[in-house]
Amino acid sequence: MVSSAADAAHRGAVLSKGGVDVDTQDRFADLSGATVAVTGGFGLIGSRIVHRLRALGAKPLAVGRLDAYGSSVYSSVFGLSPQDGDVIAGDITDAALMDDVVSRSDYVIHAAALADVAECTRNPAAALRANVDGTQTVLDSAARHSGTVRRLVFVSSASVYGVGTGTADVGARFAEDDGLAPESVYANTKLWGEHQTGLVLGGSDSSYAIVRYFSVYGEPQVVKENSHSWVVAWFAMRAALGLPLHLNGGGVQVRDFVHVDDIAEATLLAAVTGGAERATLNVGTGRATSIRQVAELVGRHFPGARIVETPRPQGDPLGACADITRMRRVLDWVPQVGIEDGVDRYVAWLERSPEAIPQWLRAQAGAA
Ligand SMILES: NC(=O)c1ccc[n+]([C@@H]2O[C@H](COP(=O)([O-])OP(=O)(O)OC[C@H]3O[C@@H](n4cnc5c(N)ncnc54)[C@H](O)[C@@H]3O)[C@@H](O)[C@H]2O)c1
């Protein structure tokens, strides 16, 4: 069930001076043979980065917990197992473990987090443990081993900008130097992580970069119970089960949907590109898509899918898309997967992999 796209080295393309795409492969020469710690390596994004690193001839060292999904997801959906030689099941708050991992690493990609916005709101203590205590542990290790670690990439989120203005102002964009207004526990921990990365690593000769992902989607994303994030996966899985697609507030909210393959590519480019040193970079497509448009794109594959309008939950971000001027200039790269292709790919994967739909969601369909 593992997506072969994970290893699709041909996917990466950069903007050459003449406007012709050239492969990113040569940009990753420094990664060949390098050891790259990936925290959260069992997650959607971390596992995709691990697969990409393997394909590039790097030595990934994935560290992560295995409790964000049902146990079958890790090996059968994300294609990673604690039995793999380059994968360690562990917690990033374990200082001895992180020190050992980081001491052996040329690069660190810090992607572990309690990444579910709703769960962070319900359980702030757990959010602080993973996203604050865990991040501090990773940063302490990186600072201690600054002679070994060539760069740490801290994974942040567009949620640090706040809730946006949505389709009321579709031209709205979040740029890196805009004011920041985190309005959730999750966003607050991410903003703290950004500042703390600069504080802990900025005073030494350590190198770091910060990437602010917008809305990540793409096969093999699996929805989490009681979460309201990840609408492409939600809509596709619900439609596949014959459940209605809920448009909270009519689906006027917008998001900048960026495919997980592009996320992996941008993150690794941020690790190796000279100009990304101490930079904060949006990672998005620069294009806003409304939630209603997503429902329609998914609905094309499921004739008869019912769309139901529901009230917009309090605090649900209206959204905005990324200003990608800096990302484009610094990384010399733009995302390769558009939302139409990305939704088609997701649905095609789901049709091949129906077992990826969690049991608790199937139970809702049974009860409906
Ligand atoms: N998916 C998105 O739309 C999105 C957007 C912006 C930023 N991000 C960030 O990208 C990163 C990866 O997110 P994802 O979408 O792959 O989510 P995910 O839940 O699939 O991956 C996060 C992983 O971190 C692990 N983790 C959590 N706490 C840990 C701990 N204390 N020790 C070790 N591992 C721990 C989880 O078990 C999980 O495997 C996160 O930092 C997230 O905040 C994601």
Side-chain angles (χ1 to χ4, degrees), residues 22-71:
V22 291
D23 204 283
T24 44
Q25 193 78 14
D26 55 345
R27 304 266 306 272
F28 291 127
D30 286 353
L31 291 179
S32 180
T35 300
V36 185
V38 183
T39 71
F42 289 107
L44 170 76
I45 294 165
S47 61
R48 185 56 55 94
I49 291 172
V50 168
H51 287 300
R52 184 73 173 113
L53 285 166
R54 287 174 176 171
L56 287 167
K59 294 184 217 149
L61 203 46
V63 186
R65 292 172 62 104
L66 289 113
D67 55 0
Y69 302 89
S71 56

Coordinates of all heavy atoms in Angstrom, one line a residue, residues 22-71:
V22 N 14.8 21.8 -14.0 CA 15.9 20.9 -14.0 C 15.7 20.1 -12.7 O 15.0 20.5 -11.8 CB 17.3 21.5 -14.0 CG1 17.6 22.2 -15.3 CG2 17.4 22.5 -12.9
D23 N 16.2 18.9 -12.7 CA 16.0 18.0 -11.6 C 16.7 18.5 -10.3 O 17.7 19.1 -10.4 CB 16.5 16.6 -11.9 CG 15.8 15.5 -11.1 OD1 16.2 15.4 -10.0 OD2 14.9 14.9 -11.7
T24 N 16.0 18.3 -9.2 CA 16.7 18.7 -7.9 C 17.7 17.7 -7.5 O 18.5 18.0 -6.5 CB 15.6 18.7 -6.8 OG1 14.8 17.6 -6.8 CG2 14.8 20.0 -6.8
Q25 N 17.8 16.5 -8.1 CA 18.7 15.5 -7.6 C 20.1 16.0 -7.3 O 20.7 15.7 -6.3 CB 18.8 14.4 -8.7 CG 19.5 13.1 -8.3 CD 18.5 12.2 -7.5 OE1 17.3 12.5 -7.4 NE2 19.1 11.3 -6.8
D26 N 20.7 16.8 -8.2 CA 22.1 17.3 -8.0 C 22.1 18.3 -6.8 O 23.2 18.5 -6.2 CB 22.6 17.9 -9.3 CG 21.8 19.0 -9.8 OD1 20.6 19.1 -9.4 OD2 22.2 19.8 -10.7
R27 N 21.0 18.9 -6.5 CA 21.0 19.8 -5.3 C 21.2 19.0 -4.0 O 21.5 19.6 -3.0 CB 19.7 20.6 -5.3 CG 19.3 21.3 -6.5 CD 19.7 22.8 -6.5 NE 19.3 23.5 -5.3 CZ 18.1 24.1 -5.2 NH1 17.3 24.1 -6.2 NH2 17.8 24.7 -4.1
F28 N 20.9 17.7 -4.1 CA 21.0 16.9 -2.9 C 22.3 16.1 -2.7 O 22.3 15.2 -1.9 CB 19.8 16.0 -2.8 CG 18.4 16.7 -2.6 CD1 17.4 16.4 -3.5 CD2 18.2 17.5 -1.6 CE1 16.2 17.1 -3.3 CE2 17.0 18.2 -1.4 CZ 16.0 18.0 -2.3
A29 N 23.3 16.5 -3.5 CA 24.5 15.8 -3.5 C 25.1 15.7 -2.0 O 25.6 14.6 -1.6 CB 25.6 16.4 -4.4
D30 N 24.9 16.7 -1.2 CA 25.4 16.7 0.2 C 24.8 15.7 1.0 O 25.3 15.3 2.1 CB 25.3 18.1 0.8 CG 26.2 19.1 0.3 OD1 27.1 18.7 -0.5 OD2 26.1 20.3 0.6
L31 N 23.6 15.2 0.6 CA 22.8 14.3 1.4 C 23.3 12.8 1.2 O 23.1 12.0 2.0 CB 21.3 14.4 1.2 CG 20.6 15.6 1.7 CD1 19.1 15.6 1.3 CD2 20.8 15.8 3.2
S32 N 23.9 12.6 0.0 CA 24.4 11.3 -0.3 C 25.3 10.8 0.8 O 26.4 11.4 1.0 CB 25.0 11.3 -1.7 OG 25.4 10.0 -2.0
G33 N 25.0 9.7 1.4 CA 25.8 9.1 2.5 C 25.7 9.9 3.8 O 26.3 9.4 4.8
A34 N 25.0 11.0 3.9 CA 24.9 11.7 5.1 C 23.8 11.1 6.0 O 22.8 10.5 5.5 CB 24.5 13.2 4.8
T35 N 24.0 11.2 7.3 CA 23.0 10.7 8.3 C 22.1 11.8 8.6 O 22.5 12.9 9.0 CB 23.7 10.2 9.6 OG1 24.6 9.1 9.2 CG2 22.7 9.6 10.6
V36 N 20.8 11.6 8.5 CA 19.8 12.6 8.7 C 18.8 12.2 9.7 O 18.0 11.2 9.4 CB 19.1 13.0 7.4 CG1 18.1 14.2 7.6 CG2 20.1 13.3 6.3
A37 N 18.8 12.8 10.9 CA 17.8 12.4 11.9 C 16.5 13.1 11.5 O 16.4 14.2 11.1 CB 18.2 13.0 13.3
V38 N 15.4 12.3 11.6 CA 14.0 12.8 11.2 C 13.2 12.5 12.5 O 12.8 11.3 12.7 CB 13.5 12.1 10.0 CG1 12.1 12.7 9.6 CG2 14.4 12.2 8.8
T39 N 12.9 13.5 13.3 CA 12.0 13.3 14.4 C 10.5 13.2 13.8 O 10.2 13.9 12.8 CB 12.1 14.3 15.5 OG1 11.5 15.6 15.0 CG2 13.5 14.5 15.9
G40 N 9.7 12.4 14.5 CA 8.3 12.3 13.9 C 8.4 11.4 12.7 O 7.5 11.5 11.8
G41 N 9.4 10.6 12.6 CA 9.7 9.8 11.4 C 8.6 8.8 11.0 O 8.5 8.3 9.9
F42 N 7.7 8.5 12.0 CA 6.6 7.6 11.7 C 5.4 8.3 11.3 O 4.4 7.7 11.0 CB 6.3 6.8 13.0 CG 7.3 5.8 13.4 CD1 8.1 6.0 14.5 CD2 7.5 4.6 12.6 CE1 9.1 5.1 14.8 CE2 8.4 3.7 13.0 CZ 9.2 3.9 14.1
G43 N 5.4 9.6 11.2 CA 4.2 10.4 10.8 C 4.1 10.4 9.3 O 4.9 9.9 8.6
L44 N 3.0 11.1 8.9 CA 2.8 11.2 7.4 C 4.0 11.9 6.8 O 4.6 11.4 5.8 CB 1.5 12.1 7.2 CG 1.3 12.5 5.7 CD1 0.9 11.3 4.9 CD2 0.4 13.7 5.5
I45 N 4.3 13.1 7.3 CA 5.4 13.9 6.6 C 6.8 13.3 6.9 O 7.6 13.1 6.0 CB 5.3 15.3 7.1 CG1 4.0 15.9 6.6 CG2 6.5 16.1 6.6 CD1 3.6 17.2 7.2
G46 N 7.0 12.9 8.2 CA 8.3 12.3 8.5 C 8.6 11.1 7.7 O 9.7 10.9 7.2
S47 N 7.6 10.2 7.5 CA 7.9 9.0 6.8 C 8.1 9.3 5.3 O 9.0 8.6 4.7 CB 6.7 8.0 7.0 OG 5.5 8.5 6.4
R48 N 7.5 10.3 4.8 CA 7.7 10.6 3.4 C 9.1 11.2 3.2 O 9.8 10.9 2.2 CB 6.7 11.7 2.9 CG 6.8 12.0 1.4 CD 6.7 10.8 0.5 NE 5.5 10.0 0.8 CZ 4.4 10.2 0.1 NH1 4.3 11.0 -0.9 NH2 3.3 9.5 0.4
I49 N 9.6 11.9 4.2 CA 11.0 12.4 4.2 C 12.0 11.3 4.3 O 13.0 11.2 3.6 CB 11.2 13.5 5.3 CG1 10.4 14.8 5.0 CG2 12.7 13.8 5.5 CD1 10.4 15.8 6.1
V50 N 11.7 10.3 5.1 CA 12.5 9.1 5.3 C 12.6 8.4 4.0 O 13.7 8.0 3.5 CB 12.0 8.2 6.4 CG1 12.7 6.9 6.4 CG2 12.2 8.9 7.8
H51 N 11.5 8.2 3.3 CA 11.5 7.4 2.0 C 12.4 8.2 1.0 O 13.1 7.6 0.2 CB 10.1 7.2 1.5 CG 9.4 6.2 2.2 ND1 9.8 4.9 2.3 CD2 8.2 6.2 2.9 CE1 8.9 4.2 3.1 NE2 7.9 5.0 3.5
R52 N 12.2 9.5 1.0 CA 12.9 10.3 0.0 C 14.4 10.3 0.3 O 15.2 10.2 -0.6 CB 12.4 11.8 0.1 CG 13.0 12.7 -0.9 CD 12.5 12.5 -2.3 NE 12.9 13.5 -3.2 CZ 13.8 13.3 -4.2 NH1 14.3 12.1 -4.5 NH2 14.2 14.3 -5.0
L53 N 14.8 10.3 1.6 CA 16.2 10.2 2.0 C 16.8 8.9 1.5 O 17.9 8.9 1.0 CB 16.4 10.4 3.5 CG 16.2 11.9 4.0 CD1 16.0 11.9 5.5 CD2 17.4 12.7 3.6
R54 N 16.1 7.8 1.7 CA 16.6 6.5 1.3 C 16.8 6.5 -0.2 O 17.9 6.1 -0.7 CB 15.6 5.4 1.6 CG 15.5 5.1 3.1 CD 14.3 4.1 3.4 NE 14.2 3.6 4.7 CZ 13.2 2.9 5.2 NH1 12.2 2.5 4.4 NH2 13.2 2.5 6.5
A55 N 15.9 7.1 -0.9 CA 16.0 7.2 -2.4 C 17.2 8.0 -2.8 O 17.8 7.8 -3.9 CB 14.7 7.7 -3.0
L56 N 17.6 9.0 -2.0 CA 18.7 9.9 -2.4 C 20.0 9.4 -1.9 O 21.0 10.0 -2.1 CB 18.5 11.3 -1.7 CG 17.4 12.2 -2.3 CD1 17.0 13.3 -1.3 CD2 17.8 12.7 -3.7
G57 N 20.0 8.2 -1.3 CA 21.3 7.6 -0.9 C 21.8 8.1 0.5 O 22.9 8.0 0.8
A58 N 20.9 8.8 1.2 CA 21.2 9.3 2.5 C 20.9 8.2 3.5 O 20.3 7.2 3.2 CB 20.4 10.6 2.9
K59 N 21.4 8.4 4.8 CA 21.1 7.4 5.8 C 20.1 8.1 6.8 O 20.6 8.8 7.7 CB 22.4 7.0 6.6 CG 23.3 6.3 5.7 CD 24.5 5.9 6.6 CE 25.8 6.0 5.8 NZ 27.0 6.3 6.6
P60 N 18.8 7.9 6.6 CA 17.9 8.5 7.6 C 18.0 7.8 8.9 O 18.3 6.6 9.0 CB 16.5 8.3 6.9 CG 16.7 7.1 6.0 CD 18.1 7.1 5.6
L61 N 17.7 8.5 10.0 CA 17.6 7.9 11.3 C 16.3 8.5 11.9 O 16.2 9.6 12.4 CB 18.8 8.4 12.1 CG 19.3 7.6 13.3 CD1 19.4 6.1 13.0 CD2 20.6 8.2 13.7
A62 N 15.2 7.7 11.7 CA 13.9 8.2 12.1 C 13.6 7.9 13.6 O 13.9 6.8 14.0 CB 12.8 7.5 11.2
V63 N 13.1 8.8 14.3 CA 12.8 8.7 15.7 C 11.4 9.1 15.9 O 11.0 10.2 15.4 CB 13.6 9.5 16.6 CG1 13.4 9.2 18.1 CG2 15.1 9.4 16.3
G64 N 10.5 8.3 16.5 CA 9.2 8.8 16.8 C 8.4 7.9 17.6 O 8.8 6.7 17.8
R65 N 7.2 8.4 18.0 CA 6.3 7.6 18.7 C 5.4 6.9 17.7 O 5.3 7.4 16.6 CB 5.4 8.5 19.7 CG 6.2 9.0 20.8 CD 5.4 10.0 21.6 NE 4.2 9.4 22.1 CZ 4.0 9.1 23.4 NH1 5.0 9.4 24.3 NH2 2.9 8.6 23.9
L66 N 4.7 5.9 18.2 CA 3.8 5.2 17.3 C 2.3 5.2 17.8 O 1.6 4.2 17.8 CB 4.2 3.7 17.2 CG 5.5 3.5 16.3 CD1 6.6 3.0 17.2 CD2 5.3 2.6 15.2
D67 N 1.9 6.4 18.3 CA 0.6 6.4 18.9 C -0.3 7.5 18.2 O -1.4 7.8 18.7 CB 0.7 6.7 20.4 CG 1.4 7.9 20.7 OD1 1.9 8.6 19.8 OD2 1.6 8.3 21.9
A68 N 0.1 8.0 17.1 CA -0.7 9.0 16.4 C -1.8 8.4 15.6 O -2.8 9.0 15.2 CB 0.1 10.0 15.6
Y69 N -1.6 7.1 15.2 CA -2.6 6.4 14.4 C -2.8 5.0 14.9 O -2.0 4.5 15.8 CB -2.0 6.2 13.0 CG -1.7 7.6 12.3 CD1 -0.5 8.2 12.4 CD2 -2.7 8.2 11.5 CE1 -0.2 9.4 11.8 CE2 -2.4 9.4 10.9 CZ -1.2 10.0 11.1 OH -0.9 11.2 10.5
G70 N -3.7 4.2 14.4 CA -3.8 2.8 14.7 C -2.6 2.1 14.3 O -1.9 2.5 13.3
S71 N -2.2 1.0 15.0 CA -0.9 0.4 14.8 C -0.7 -0.1 13.4 O 0.5 -0.2 12.9 CB -0.7 -0.8 15.8 OG -1.8 -1.7 15.6

